[in-house]
Amino acid sequence: MNKILRSALVATASVAGLFLAGTTVSAQAKTVLPGSAKSAYWGNQTSYVRLKKTMDVGILKKSGKTYRPLIKKKGSLLAVQGMGGAANDKDQAGNIVIRAAFSSGAVHYNRQKNLNYQGKISIPFTKANFKSVKLKAPDRTLLFQKGTGFKTNGKYTLKTPSAFYLTLDNYLQVYSASAMKKVAPGGGVYQMTANELWKPTYSAKVSKVTVKGAKTTIDYKKPIKGLPNKKVAKNHYRLTIQKLKGKHTQRFFPVDDTYDAQGTWTNYKVNGKRYFVGRFNQGLD
């Protein structure tokens, strides 16, 4: 069997045109852009889809010592890992076939550890087979780190706080600071994907997720260690995630009168405790 890839794939579609095997195809009178109303294919604005029929989408599941194709059922939620096309790959209407690669996205560790992906942008990304969807809970898969933003821990290092996130299949996964140091020292991860195979320190199934404006409410049965749990009733606990206004940017690690890194983050309150979600980029010019 060929080596199975887990690395992230790069989306190659763009709004104005499509980068195809080294050639840019611009929007012309006879060209139907992917993702437009008349197109048979979804474009790069699509991050999640549901299957309109049961099919093989290139996801493999561990079976003993090998991996076998996992046939996904109609209605399954999939994350789009990458998409693109080639100038010499056209359909009967003369339009370039948009193909995609898929994963199950950021699901629970026990499920994710048995999945792998072929890493091929090969499945025709047709509207006939896939329905574009947006997550009803926008806070889902975001990595919430404890604190008010990125902080330094010495001259050229960042502090690594504890963190948690809500998976696509309704689990809260919690990571202690020591666990985060092993998988993502300094944090800096904004959103979890299928590529972050991180074993949680604690986790629990969620019974209900409710979204109202900038507030997400997550209900579960038992308190989860490492989270600021709020008891609502017997066998009923709740996290209320409130997004705060504003976005923060700060440069770090000055070198020769310039800076080597930049952090950008948004602040939240989780049951009144401060958390943040952000990106950290190093090696700036």
Side-chain angles (χ1 to χ4, degrees):
M1 177 181 289
N2 294 332
K3 184 177 180 181
I4 299 168
L5 302 179
R6 186 181 285 278
S7 61
L9 299 170
V10 179
T12 56
S14 67
V15 176
L18 189 68
F19 184 75
L20 307 162
T23 303
T24 301
V25 180
S26 299
Q28 299 174 357
K30 294 183 179 180
T31 301
V32 179
L33 292 177
S36 64
K38 294 182 179 180
S39 176
Y41 307 97
W42 292 111
N44 71 327
Q45 77 283 3
T46 306
S47 299
Y48 292 96
V49 294
R50 288 195 183 276
L51 284 176
K52 290 186 176 182
K53 69 176 186 179
T54 298
M55 60 187 291
D56 181 355
V57 292
I59 298 176
L60 305 175
K61 185 177 182 180
K62 192 173 184 179
S63 178
K65 295 183 178 181
T66 187
Y67 285 86
R68 295 180 179 178
L70 175 64
I71 306 302
K72 300 294 291 185
K73 294 182 180 180
K74 178 181 178 181
S76 295
L77 178 67
L78 300 172
V80 181
Q81 291 290 95
M83 67 181 74
N88 61 354
D89 183 16
K90 296 183 179 181
D91 58 21
Q92 293 182 347
N95 292 301
I96 293 169
V97 177
I98 305 304
R99 299 181 184 273
F102 303 94
S103 76
S104 291
V107 295
H108 188 269
Y109 172 80
N110 289 339
R111 177 181 170 191
Q112 181 66 15
K113 68 181 181 179
N114 292 315
L115 300 178
N116 229 316
Y117 310 104
Q118 294 173 305
K120 296 180 180 179
I121 299 177
S122 59
I123 309 297
F125 200 21
T126 63
K127 294 180 180 178
N129 291 336
F130 301 94
K131 178 183 178 182
S132 177
V133 296
K134 291 184 177 181
L135 298 181
K136 293 181 180 179
D139 291 341
R140 199 183 296 272
T141 76
L142 296 182
L143 185 67
F144 291 90
Q145 301 183 70
K146 194 171 184 178
T148 57
F150 296 109
K151 305 293 182 183
T152 55
N153 184 25
K155 190 173 182 180
Y156 292 113
T157 60
L158 289 174
K159 291 183 179 180
T160 304
S162 60
F164 76 92
Y165 81 99
L166 176 63
T167 70
L168 292 173
D169 51 351
N170 287 327
Y171 283 86
L172 279 169
Q173 295 197 155
V174 182
Y175 301 88
S176 65
S178 59
M180 285 292 292
K181 285 181 181 179
K182 294 179 181 179
V183 295
V189 177
Y190 170 77
Q191 193 164 31
M192 301 295 287
T193 69
N195 302 299
E196 287 80 36
L197 187 61
W198 301 355
K199 184 177 182 179
T201 310
Y202 311 103
S203 69
K205 182 70 174 178
V206 168
S207 55
K208 184 179 180 182
V209 179
T210 306
V211 178
K212 187 175 182 180
K215 185 182 294 184
T216 299
T217 302
I218 304 171
D219 294 282
Y220 44 100
K221 292 183 178 180
K222 296 181 179 180
I224 306 170
K225 193 171 182 179
L227 292 181
N229 309 281
K230 180 180 179 181
K231 187 174 182 179
V232 178
K234 184 178 180 180
N235 296 323
H236 186 180
Y237 290 81
R238 176 175 292 164
L239 280 187
T240 300
I241 302 174
Q242 176 72 48
K243 184 177 182 179
L244 303 181
K245 293 182 179 180
K247 196 170 187 178
H248 304 271
T249 299
Q250 184 175 335
R251 293 198 168 189
F252 295 83
F253 314 144
V255 179
D256 297 331
D257 298 324
T258 184
Y259 291 88
D260 181 60
Q262 179 174 288
T264 303
W265 67 91
T266 301
N267 289 122
Y268 291 79
K269 281 190 176 181
V270 181
N271 284 355
K273 303 296 183 180
R274 296 297 293 270
Y275 283 78
F276 71 98
V277 175
R279 293 184 175 91
F280 197 85
N281 297 315
Q282 291 186 275
L284 301 178
D285 294 333

